[in-house]
Amino acid sequence: MNVAKDTPPDHRAESRTSVRPINIRGRFLTAVALKIDGGLPDDDFYAALDDMLRQRPHFLVDAPLILDLDGADSLTRSTEMKDLVANLKARKFNAFGVQNASDMQLAAAEEAGLIAVPPGRDAPLRDDRPERRRSAGTTEKQPTAVTRTVTVPIRSGQTVVAEHGDLVVIGPVASGAELIARGNIHIYGTLRGRAMAGCHGDTEARIFCQNMDAELLAVAGLYRTSENLGQEIRKRSVQVFLQDERLCVETLG
Amino acid sequence: MTSNLTQKPKVQGKIIVITSGKGGVGKTTSAAAISAGLAQRGHKTVVIDFDVGLRNLDMIMGCERRVVFDFINVIQGDARLKQALIKDKRLENLFILPTSQTRDKDALTKEGVEKVLNELRDEFEYIVCDSPAGIERGAQMAMYFADEAVVVTNPEVSSVRDSDRVLGLLSSKTARAERPGAEPIKAQVLLTRYDVQRIARGEMMTVDDVLEILAVPLLGIVPESPAVLRASNEGVPVTMDEPSAASAAYMDAVARLTGEEVEMRLASDKRPGLFQRLFGRTG
C-alpha cells in the first residue's frame, strides 16, 4: 500500500486515463474443486451431494466451482458435461472450469462452456510474487531527499509539508499551524503550533526548535501535547527524538 | 509601464483592505475612520462595503437613507458605478459604495469585483475595502485585489489568532500572492480597543505580545474610547467627530498609511513611555 502512495504520479498513465482505457486488473479468487470419481455422475452421486447440502445448507452455495476430472475417465462427452453443469447449477454450484482433464475431456469441456484451469499453479506463484514486489519497492523507495526551507512566518491554519526530506523554518510558527516532514524539522523561531517529524515512520527523525511553545510534537507517529510536555522546557531551545519508543524532549545548550 | 502611461495618465489608486477574521473588533469603524481621515488629508478616497447582506458601513458613515443603487447592482450591470457612489456631505473627497442588504456573498464574483475596482482605480487615490468577518467568500473577495492590508486586532488571544490566519490568507489567496514575481501585500496591524488599565492588570495582551506573534509592522494603537461608540451611533466617522484619543490615534495611523513617519503614541494621558519603545518597530 505504501509503495503505491509514494510513487510519483505517472503522467503518461494520466494522459491515458483521459481517453478512458479498458481497465484490466489481475484478480485472485478462491474456487472450490469438486472431485468427480468413478464413472459418470449418477443418481447416487447427486443423492450424496443433496445429502451433504441438507446437512450444511449454506456450505459452498454460489461458490465458483472447478470440476476435478482426475478420476473420471469415462466422462468424455460434452452432453454429459452439460448435464453435470446443469445439475450442479440447480444446486447453486457455479462450475466454470475443469482441471486434470484429458485432451478429449478438454474438448468436451470447452463445448460445454468450461475453461481449462491448470492445477497446482499456486505454489510457484506464491514464491514469485513477494520477490517481485520487493524489487519494485526498492527502486521506487529511493527518491533523493529534498529539503524544504521556509523563510516567512507560518500562520495559523497553514500546513507546510516536506514530503521527501527535512523541513527548515526560519520564522515563527503560529498556534494552529502544522509542520510535517518525512525527515527532521528545524525551527529557528518560536514554535507555537504542531510539528510532526518522520511522518512516514522514520524513527531516527528529530525536531529541533529554538523556542519551544508547541501544541503538539510528534516523531514517527508518537506524540506529546502541550499538556504533557512540562513547564521546564517551555520557551527553551530543545530537541525532540525517540528513545526506546518514548518521545523525549531535551533542552539544548 | 509605458503603454499604461499613454492609456491612463492618472495615477493608479491604491487598494487597501480592512480585515481581521474575527467579528466585532472594529473593522467597519476603522474603515470609516481611515477613509474619512484620508479624505481629510486631501486624498480622493472611496470606501466599499464588502459585507453583503449585513450592510453596516453606510450607517456608520451616516448615509443609510441615501442608498439607491449598491455595489451588487454595479457588479451585475443593473446600475452604473456613478449611480451607486454616494458622495459624503461633509467631505468633498470622500465617496461611499454601499452594499446590498438583501443579497448574500455569492453575488460577489471575482470578475465583477475586479471590474469595479479597476474603474475606481482610475478615479480615486485610495480605495478602502471594508471586509466582512470570517474567512469565507466575502472576506476573500475583499482582500483578493488589495495592494495593502490593515489587519484590525484586539489585544486578546482569539482575535490575534484570527488575525494570524488572515495574514496567512493575504500571503497565499490573493492576486498578488498568485501572480509570480509580484510584490506581496503590505500588511500592517491596527490594534484597537486598547485598554491600558486592563493591560497593566495583565487582563489583556501587550503590544509586544501581539507583534511577536503576528510578526508584521504596527500601523497604530487605538485606545478603547467612549467616543467610538458615540460616533458610530451618530453616523459620523471617528476622525470627523470631535477630538478624542481614538480620533487622534486614527489620524496618526492614516498619516503612516500615506507613508509619513509618525511617532507611536497613545493620545490619551496614560503612560506614553510604554509606546515610545515601540517606535523602532514601526519604521
Side-chain angles (χ1 to χ4, degrees):
Chain A
M1 282 306 260
N2 261 338
V3 179
K5 246 189 241 165
D6 292 343
T7 316
D10 184 345
H11 295 290
R12 280 173 305 141
E14 260 174 31
S15 65
R16 256 190 261 124
T17 53
S18 62
V19 293
R20 306 199 57 166
I22 294 163
N23 231 327
I24 296 178
R25 278 174 199 174
R27 170 95 157 79
F28 295 94
L29 59 87
T30 309
V32 186
L34 179 64
K35 221 163 159 57
I36 316 288
D37 273 332
L40 284 170
D42 49 16
D43 290 346
D44 286 348
F45 172 83
Y46 292 119
L49 197 60
D50 287 336
D51 200 36
M52 187 198 82
L53 281 174
R54 253 195 306 280
Q55 283 167 22
R56 287 168 284 180
H58 300 294
F59 189 61
L60 300 181
V61 163
D62 292 330
L65 189 80
I66 295 167
L67 305 176
D68 191 337
L69 303 182
D70 199 17
D73 299 335
S74 50
L75 185 65
T76 52
R77 277 183 295 184
S78 65
T79 46
E80 294 162 2
M81 206 80 82
K82 278 179 187 159
D83 273 351
L84 176 58
V85 170
N87 280 323
L88 287 171
K89 182 81 189 161
R91 291 165 177 80
K92 291 208 166 186
F93 284 116
N94 299 310
F96 71 94
V98 289
Q99 67 181 24
N100 295 324
S102 66
D103 288 349
M104 237 168 97
Q105 284 172 324
L106 263 185
E110 238 168 74
E111 264 183 72
L114 299 169
I115 59 166
V117 179
R121 266 275 309 268
D122 45 355
L125 250 183
R126 220 169 263 163
D127 277 344
D128 205 27
R129 265 173 29 233
E131 209 176 282
R132 230 187 282 154
R133 199 184 280 165
R134 223 179 294 130
S135 65
T138 46
T139 50
E140 283 164 5
K141 268 198 175 170
Q142 281 180 327
T144 46
V146 183
T147 303
R148 184 158 180 203
T149 307
V150 183
T151 56
V152 294
I154 313 293
R155 305 292 183 185
S156 181
Q158 289 180 328
T159 302
V160 181
V161 186
E163 182 65 37
H164 300 295
D166 289 4
L167 176 59
V168 182
V169 177
I170 302 149
V173 179
S175 88
E178 254 177 8
L179 306 179
I180 301 167
R182 188 191 194 101
N184 306 305
I185 297 178
H186 304 254
I187 302 120
Y188 301 97
T190 307
L191 170 65
R192 299 188 181 88
R194 304 155 164 244
M196 288 160 258
C199 64
H200 288 294
D202 183 358
T203 52
E204 288 298 303
R206 293 187 178 208
I207 301 168
F208 304 90
C209 176
Q210 196 185 35
N211 191 351
M212 224 299 296
D213 198 8
E215 288 169 354
L216 181 143
L217 296 168
V219 174
L222 279 160
Y223 68 91
R224 283 166 78 175
T225 58
S226 58
E227 280 170 2
N228 47 37
L229 277 171
Q231 280 296 313
E232 63 281 359
I233 53 128
R234 252 175 61 99
K235 307 266 181 188
R236 303 284 297 274
S237 294
V238 298
Q239 65 160 326
V240 184
F241 54 94
L242 284 186
Q243 198 171 49
D244 305 326
E245 301 204 346
R246 278 199 63 234
L247 191 76
C248 304
V249 185
E250 207 175 79
T251 52
L252 290 165
Chain B
M1 268 323 248
T2 41
S3 65
N4 246 356
L5 281 174
T6 50
Q7 281 168 5
K8 292 164 187 169
K10 279 184 198 162
V11 182
Q12 288 276 287
K14 200 178 264 181
I15 299 174
I16 301 172
V17 61
I18 315 289
T19 183
S20 73
K22 193 169 166 20
V25 294
K27 278 183 300 296
T28 303
T29 303
S30 297
I34 288 170
S35 52
L38 285 165
Q40 277 171 291
R41 291 176 67 91
H43 302 289
K44 197 174 181 192
T45 305
V46 59
V47 55
I48 310 175
D49 191 349
F50 273 81
D51 203 348
V52 187
L54 294 169
R55 209 178 83 189
N56 275 172
L57 179 71
D58 49 310
M59 288 199 274
I60 292 181
M61 298 298 291
C63 65
E64 73 270 24
R65 303 214 166 271
R66 297 169 62 202
V67 177
V68 181
F69 293 110
D70 57 49
F71 190 25
I72 304 303
N73 291 141
V74 179
I75 285 177
Q76 298 185 334
D78 300 331
R80 279 176 297 115
L81 187 54
K82 286 265 189 301
Q83 294 176 297
L85 283 172
I86 300 174
K87 190 172 184 301
D88 190 85
K89 281 187 171 162
R90 298 151 294 201
L91 286 168
E92 198 186 359
N93 284 327
L94 185 58
F95 289 78
I96 298 112
L97 183 54
T99 192
S100 168
Q101 177 73 346
T102 52
R103 310 297 295 270
D104 62 33
K105 267 91 178 168
D106 293 335
L108 292 170
T109 61
K110 201 181 267 185
E111 298 72 26
V113 171
E114 186 177 24
K115 194 169 156 285
V116 173
L117 289 177
N118 281 340
E119 217 172 309
L120 290 170
R121 264 182 205 260
D122 296 337
E123 281 288 317
F124 292 91
E125 280 179 77
Y126 288 99
I127 298 138
V128 178
C129 301
D130 178 24
S131 167
I135 52 172
E136 274 73 49
R137 187 171 186 83
Q140 285 187 13
M141 284 298 118
M143 71 170 70
Y144 190 79
F145 297 102
D147 302 306
E148 289 193 23
V150 174
V151 180
V152 182
T153 307
N154 291 164
E156 47 109 2
V157 280
S158 61
S159 173
V160 172
R161 176 187 275 205
D162 289 0
S163 293
D164 191 70
R165 181 91 167 90
V166 163
L167 283 166
L169 294 176
L170 284 167
S171 60
S172 62
K173 295 265 168 69
T174 52
R176 276 175 181 266
E178 285 168 9
R179 205 185 318 136
E183 218 177 287
I185 290 181
K186 185 184 175 195
Q188 298 180 90
V189 177
L190 182 66
L191 265 180
T192 55
R193 312 198 68 166
Y194 196 80
D195 190 327
V196 179
Q197 276 145 6
R198 294 192 68 184
I199 287 161
R201 288 200 297 269
E203 292 171 6
M204 291 178 112
M205 295 169 83
T206 67
V207 181
D208 286 338
D209 291 343
V210 176
L211 293 183
E212 205 217 325
I213 291 174
L214 296 182
V216 287
L218 179 65
L219 180 69
I221 304 162
V222 180
E224 176 81 74
S225 165
V228 175
L229 184 63
R230 190 187 61 227
S232 296
N233 285 336
E234 285 172 6
V236 181
V238 183
T239 41
M240 280 199 245
D241 202 19
E242 54 201 71
S244 66
S247 71
Y250 272 120
M251 283 315 282
D252 281 359
V254 168
R256 288 182 200 107
L257 210 51
T258 59
E260 251 178 67
E261 283 211 11
V262 183
E263 194 180 339
M264 198 60 72
R265 65 193 163 109
L266 203 56
S268 71
D269 46 2
K270 293 159 200 156
R271 304 178 205 199
L274 180 65
F275 305 101
Q276 273 159 10
R277 281 192 294 128
L278 297 160
F279 181 56
R281 280 176 176 274
T282 61

